[in-house]
Amino acid sequence: MRIAIVSDIHGNLPALEAVVEDIGRRGVGTVVNLGDSLSGPLMPLETARFLMAQDWIHLAGNHERQLLTLPAGRRGASDEFTHARLGPQEFAWMASLGPSLRWNAEVLLCHGTPDSDLHYFLETVEPSLLRPAEMAEIDARLGRIDAQVQLVACGHTHVPRAVRASSGQLIVNPGSVGLQAYDDIHPHPHVVETGAPDARYAIVERLAGGWASTLISVPYDHASMAALAMANGRPDWASALVTGRLPQG
């Protein structure tokens, strides 16, 4: 069994198309999408229509929840831009998605952690820094997941990483297809940067000895998306799309 995992597309359709082409080139027929698919100043409607036409498993991320529940005036700039460009069909599709899924006996899919679409799984935010989570923290975030689950796929942080918990369970974050840097204020102000513009995804494979993972970066025409972000008033996104970093100063 081979599965391609995508997450955090954020309306970046050219990045998604490049990833899909690479998935096809590698002969992987099963794709799961862990959410935060549309929010951002790029191509939310076109990305929604592309995803709705795919025979994939889709989850909702925190941005899908926010788009569906937050009123005007409480949405961030990326969600406000996206909300204004979607129609009833796209909202109905988002409403049909859940934040986590026990896909089969061995595989659990979630956006953040099994219990939250906002909490980080493999990173920890402290008042002064963002750091890789310690093993005890990862074990605690696994919660009450039973021992049958051998693979947990999560997104949300945009940081590609694969870690084995002390139980031997593999936790894979494929990174972000569409946005390689961002900042947030929860639970403390912090910045996430991958330092490169490539689209990210992962392939996981069930081998005789257990699950194995490959983290993949794919080049695409990021300059055109940066120009679109600038045209839509988002220089922070333009920098993230070109460099994988936020503007300095």
Side-chain angles (χ1 to χ4, degrees):
M1 179 184 294
R2 299 175 73 213
I3 307 165
I5 306 170
V6 302
S7 189
D8 298 279
I9 300 160
H10 284 283
N12 191 336
L13 183 57
L16 177 60
E17 290 173 329
V19 164
V20 170
E21 181 178 357
D22 194 71
I23 291 169
R25 183 178 64 81
R26 296 173 188 265
V28 182
T30 301
V31 183
V32 300
N33 168 25
L34 303 181
D36 277 8
S37 297
L38 310 179
S39 181
L42 301 178
M43 303 174 67
L45 178 60
E46 296 87 345
T47 304
R49 289 174 174 171
F50 181 96
L51 291 171
M52 290 164 66
Q54 307 307 311
D55 184 21
W56 297 355
I57 293 169
H58 300 279
L59 297 187
N62 57 293
H63 280 282
E64 279 75 38
R65 174 178 53 79
Q66 290 161 196
L67 284 164
L68 288 164
T69 62
L70 292 182
R74 290 190 57 199
R75 305 183 199 111
S78 293
D79 285 346
E80 197 67 59
F81 181 96
T82 301
H83 194 281
R85 285 156 178 79
L86 302 181
Q89 288 184 317
E90 291 75 41
F91 281 107
W93 175 71
M94 284 192 291
S96 72
L97 309 178
S100 63
L101 177 68
R102 180 72 174 266
W103 189 24
N104 59 31
E106 288 195 6
V107 179
L108 175 69
L109 311 175
C110 58
H111 179 70
T113 70
D115 298 323
S116 170
D117 63 12
L118 278 176
H119 292 164
Y120 291 179
F121 210 139
L122 300 180
E123 288 75 34
T124 296
V125 182
E126 295 183 346
S128 59
L129 81 160
L130 173 77
R131 60 168 174 81
E134 297 174 356
M135 186 61 68
E137 294 171 320
I138 293 170
D139 289 346
R141 292 165 193 171
L142 279 169
R144 296 181 296 276
I145 297 173
D146 64 76
Q148 273 192 301
V149 174
Q150 294 300 303
L151 171 68
V152 180
C154 65
H156 188 45
T157 68
H158 300 204
V159 179
R161 182 168 290 156
V163 174
R164 289 199 185 273
S166 61
S167 61
Q169 293 162 300
L170 180 63
I171 305 159
V172 177
N173 186 324
S176 171
V177 170
L179 181 62
Q180 302 309 321
Y182 68 92
D183 58 5
D184 201 351
I185 61 171
H186 301 291
H188 308 286
H190 63 280
V191 171
V192 176
E193 297 174 318
T194 65
D198 288 1
R200 309 298 182 102
Y201 81 103
I203 292 174
V204 294
E205 185 173 6
R206 184 67 167 88
L207 304 176
W211 285 91
S213 64
T214 303
L215 302 174
I216 300 166
S217 63
V218 180
Y220 75 99
D221 181 13
H222 56 267
S224 66
M225 288 297 96
L228 180 59
M230 282 295 291
N232 288 328
R234 295 298 299 273
D236 55 335
W237 273 65
S239 177
L241 290 164
V242 169
T243 68
R245 300 187 185 278
L246 293 182
Q248 299 298 307

